[in-house]
Amino acid sequence: MSHVMNTYARLPVAFSHGEGSWLVDTDGKRYLDALSGIAVSTLGHNHPDLVATIATQAARVLHTSNLYRIPLQEELSDRLAAVSGMDEVFFCNSGCEANEAAIKLARFYGHQRGVDNPAIIVMEKAFHGRTLATLSATGNRKAQAGFEPLVSGFVRVPYNDLEAIRGIAGHNQNVVAVMLEMVQGEGGIHIADLEFQRQLRALCDEKGWLLICDEVQCGVGRTGTWFGYQQSGVLPDVATLAKGLGSGVPIGACLASGKAAGLFGPGNHGSTFGGNPLACAAALTTLECIERDGLRDNAVKVGEQIRSGLAEALAGVAGVVEIRGRGLMIGIELDRPCGELVARGLEAGLLINVTAEKVVRLLPALVFSEADARELVARLAPLIRTFLGA
Ligand SMILES: *Cc1c(COP(=O)(O)O)cnc(C)c1O
C-alpha cells in the first residue's frame, strides 16, 4: 500500500514508456492507447517535436512568474486567438481552473450589469470539473453527493432543449450566461445539435447573456475543427480549454471575446503557475504540429474509419444501442452497464474507457493512424461481441 489518497479505482497496470499510440507496461506488454490519458496526449507518446521543445525550454527557463512578462505566453495567446476567433486568454493549469475563471468572469459580467445574484444555466449530464463551483455546475448527482452545500447560482436544463432555456429566460432575471460542452464527454458523448447551437447563440445575443463553451475535452482539434463550436459556426463569448492543449504538460486556458473581453483587470483573477514558459512552449508545439501535420483532417478521417469499422463489425449485434461521435471523440452506447470492458480491454492490450455506465468511450491521440484504427476495431469489436453474448 502506498500513501496515495484513494480517489481513483485504479487498474492494476503501470506504464513505463510509449511511442505514438502505443504504451508499454512495466512487464513489457504493449497496449494500443485509444484513450490518450483522457484526451490529453494529443500528439501521442514520445513525440519528437514535443520532446525537443520540452528539453530545450527546460534548459532555458521553466518558470518565472506572472509578475513579469512571459513572451511564450503572449505568443500562445496570439496563436489561440487566431485559431479560436476569440480576443484574449487567461492561462491556468487544468480544466476545472479554466471553468472557475469562466464562472467568475460570468458573475463579474453580471455584477457590472447590475445583477446582484447572477445565475448560469447549465446542462443535464454536464461535466465541468471537481472544484466546488465546477462540481456545482456539473450535472452528476453522484459526483456532488456528500459535498453539499454546493455553490449556488446554477440553473439546470436538459441538453439540446432550447425551449427549457427560453422558459427560464421568461421568469429568471438573474441569468447572465449559459454554459455547455458542444460535445459532452463524461456524460456519454452527446452532441449539441448544430441548429440548437445557433439558436442558443441567437438567444444569448437577444438576452445579453454570455455563451460559455467548455471545450476542455472536445477542443484542440479533437472533433475535426479546432473547437467544437466551429462546427456550427457560432462564436462563444467564453471558451475554456485544457486536456489536449499541452499534449501532457498541464495547461488550461479561459478565452474571452466581445462583451466578455476586457472585463478582468489586475487583481480580479490570477494563477501562480498558469501559463509558465514550459507549459506555453508545449502548447505552442502542440498547436504547430496539429496544423503542420493536418491532424484535424486526420481526426475526421480516422474517426470516420473507426465508427464505420465498428458499425460493420457490430452490425446486427443486439445490445449495441448507438455508435456516435465527432472526429476522434467516439462513444459506443450499449444497452447495459459495461464497466468491465475496461479490464477486458487491458487483457487484450487495449486502453479504452467506459463513461455514463453504458458508453464505451474512445479518445485516441490525434496522430492515430489508419493502421491504429484497424487494430482498434480488430481488438474492440470482439470484446463487445463477447460481452454482449453475441
Ligand atoms: C476533464 C474535464 C474538465 C475538468 O478538467 P480537469 O483538468 O480534470 O480539472 C472540465 N470540463 C470538461 C468538459 C472535461 O472533460
Side-chain angles (χ1 to χ4, degrees), residues 94-97 99 127-129 181 186 214 216-217 242-243:
S94 64
C96 60
E97 279 176 84
N99 287 331
F127 185 81
H128 297 302
E181 301 148 88
E186 305 303 307
D214 180 343
V216 169
Q217 191 161 149
K243 290 196 166 87

Side-chain angles (χ1 to χ4, degrees), residues 205-242:
D205 287 339
E206 183 193 320
K207 299 289 176 190
W209 298 343
L210 301 182
L211 176 61
I212 304 173
C213 289
D214 180 343
E215 294 271 340
V216 169
Q217 191 161 149
C218 66
V220 196
R222 178 154 296 280
T223 63
T225 47
W226 279 109
F227 302 104
Y229 58 79
Q230 289 167 333
Q231 311 237 332
S232 65
V234 304
L235 186 69
D237 303 291
V238 179
T240 56
L241 315 179

Side-chain angles (χ1 to χ4, degrees), residues 39-43 50 76 80 83 89-92 98 215-217 219-221 226-227 240-255 279-288 290:
V40 167
S41 307
T42 304
L43 302 180
L50 187 63
L76 179 58
L80 282 174
V83 296
V89 188
F90 170 82
F91 288 105
C92 50
E215 294 271 340
V216 169
Q217 191 161 149
V220 196
W226 279 109
F227 302 104
T240 56
L241 315 179
K243 290 196 166 87
L245 182 55
S247 273
V249 177
I251 180 169
C254 176
L255 286 58
C280 289
L284 277 164
T285 294
T286 301
L287 299 180
E288 199 176 297
I290 291 174

Side-chain angles (χ1 to χ4, degrees), residues 38-349:
I38 319 186
V40 167
S41 307
T42 304
L43 302 180
H45 305 286
N46 194 23
H47 191 283
D49 296 297
L50 187 63
V51 171
T53 290
I54 292 170
T56 304
Q57 191 56 45
R60 284 191 184 135
V61 65
L62 292 175
H63 177 85
T64 53
S65 166
N66 284 309
L67 296 172
Y68 312 107
R69 284 187 55 198
I70 300 175
L72 283 164
Q73 195 182 104
E74 293 170 15
E75 194 185 330
L76 179 58
S77 73
D78 291 344
R79 194 67 198 115
L80 282 174
V83 296
S84 69
M86 306 291 282
D87 295 331
E88 53 179 33
V89 188
F90 170 82
F91 288 105
C92 50
N93 315 286
S94 64
C96 60
E97 279 176 84
N99 287 331
E100 286 279 343
I103 292 164
K104 280 183 70 176
L105 200 56
R107 287 187 168 193
F108 205 64
Y109 170 77
H111 280 278
Q112 295 201 344
R113 290 164 33 112
V115 180
D116 292 336
N117 278 301
I120 300 173
I121 294 178
V122 291
M123 306 294 138
E124 288 176 4
K125 299 198 180 99
F127 185 81
H128 297 302
R130 293 189 179 265
T131 59
L132 274 172
T134 60
L135 181 67
S136 307
T138 288
N140 179 340
R141 275 302 303 151
K142 266 194 206 162
Q144 294 171 337
F147 299 105
E148 298 83 358
L150 296 173
V151 173
S152 62
F154 296 101
V155 185
R156 199 166 306 282
V157 296
Y159 198 56
N160 272 325
D161 188 343
L162 198 77
E163 286 317 307
I165 299 175
R166 281 220 176 91
I168 288 166
H171 65 81
N172 188 332
Q173 301 308 308
N174 289 328
V175 175
V176 295
V178 180
M179 180 172 184
L180 80 167
E181 301 148 88
M182 290 314 202
V183 182
Q184 289 185 329
E186 305 303 307
I189 314 294
H190 299 288
I191 303 166
D193 301 332
L194 298 186
E195 203 40 45
F196 168 76
Q197 295 184 24
R198 294 187 193 107
Q199 289 177 4
L200 180 59
R201 173 70 275 182
L203 183 63
C204 287
D205 287 339
E206 183 193 320
K207 299 289 176 190
W209 298 343
L210 301 182
L211 176 61
I212 304 173
C213 289
D214 180 343
E215 294 271 340
V216 169
Q217 191 161 149
C218 66
V220 196
R222 178 154 296 280
T223 63
T225 47
W226 279 109
F227 302 104
Y229 58 79
Q230 289 167 333
Q231 311 237 332
S232 65
V234 304
L235 186 69
D237 303 291
V238 179
T240 56
L241 315 179
K243 290 196 166 87
L245 182 55
S247 273
V249 177
I251 180 169
C254 176
L255 286 58
S257 77
K259 55 186 183 287
L263 288 176
F264 279 165
N268 289 137
H269 201 45
S271 168
T272 297
F273 291 116
N276 85 8
L278 179 75
C280 289
L284 277 164
T285 294
T286 301
L287 299 180
E288 199 176 297
C289 291
I290 291 174
E291 185 66 44
R292 184 195 68 195
D293 299 336
L295 298 185
R296 281 165 291 149
D297 289 346
N298 189 64
V300 173
K301 183 183 69 182
V302 176
E304 176 53 37
Q305 190 192 337
I306 294 169
R307 281 193 299 279
S308 60
L310 287 172
E312 199 174 313
L314 297 173
V317 174
V320 178
V321 175
E322 192 182 20
I323 300 170
R324 57 178 178 255
R326 287 277 180 279
L328 287 172
M329 195 166 178
I330 297 170
I332 304 121
E333 182 171 342
L334 306 185
D335 67 353
R336 65 200 78 169
C338 58
E340 66 184 84
L341 274 171
V342 173
R344 294 193 191 187
L346 213 55
E347 269 171 49

